[in-house]
Amino acid sequence: MATASPARTADTEKITINLGFVDLGRIDLLVREGFYASRSDLIRTAIRAQLDRHDASVAPAIVRDDFVMGLRDLSRAELEALQAANQMLDLRVIGLARFARDIPPDLITATIRSIEVLGTIQADAGVKAALDACRTNKGTR
């Protein structure tokens, strides 16, 4: 009997962009000529080049605003420890903020003072609603 494999979290997020026909045709030509494996490959490469180009300009903001870059996993145990210590978290992430499935929404409101995520939040619907309340009621930037 086969067992279900655990749910795997995607490490990318899909976005949609609109391009003109000529730009799209030029992209297809570059793919056809072997410069890129696919349209997505070209677009990812172009975006990374622009991000690298502006890296020195945004680096001071990352430090000034105390952002965590990359993945920030939050567990129930971490939030319960904050609650036991009567502490609140100001969470700032560039990338992915991922909340464990066993975190109840009331633990979010008890432990997160403010949240700013530039990227993606992965959490259950109840936790996302509690996080929205943290943004609205407690005034993040």
Side-chain angles (χ1 to χ4, degrees):
M1 179 172 166
T3 58
S5 61
R8 184 172 182 277
T9 302
D11 58 354
T12 61
E13 182 148 336
K14 183 179 248 176
I15 63 168
T16 302
I17 61 170
N18 296 317
L19 292 173
F21 300 119
V22 173
D23 291 338
L24 188 57
R26 292 173 68 193
I27 289 170
D28 287 344
L29 179 61
L30 288 168
V31 170
R32 188 187 82 184
E33 294 299 312
F35 289 95
Y36 299 93
S38 64
R39 290 174 172 176
S40 292
D41 182 34
L42 179 143
I43 293 166
R44 276 190 299 271
T45 301
I47 289 170
R48 287 184 188 124
Q50 287 301 307
L51 293 172
D52 289 345
R53 181 176 172 211
H54 296 289
D55 194 46
S57 298
V58 298
I62 292 168
V63 172
R64 176 191 68 230
D65 294 341
D66 198 25
F67 277 103
V68 173
M69 293 275 294
L71 170 64
R72 177 66 163 93
D73 265 322
L74 290 112
S75 68
R76 182 177 187 151
E78 178 184 357
L79 296 182
E80 286 174 340
L82 284 170
Q83 186 177 34
N86 202 26
Q87 295 179 337
M88 302 270 305
L89 181 63
D90 293 305
L91 184 62
R92 291 183 178 76
V93 178
I94 295 176
L96 173 62
R98 186 168 53 195
F99 292 81
R101 292 184 161 277
D102 64 345
I103 297 174
D106 62 324
L107 186 56
I108 294 294
T109 55
T111 57
I112 297 188
R113 179 180 17 247
S114 65
I115 182 168
E116 182 177 7
V117 176
L118 303 175
T120 302
I121 296 174
Q122 288 181 348
D124 290 337
V127 168
K128 282 186 178 182
L131 292 169
D132 285 342
C134 291
R135 287 189 191 121
T136 304
N137 296 338
K138 299 177 185 174
T140 64
R141 291 178 251 197

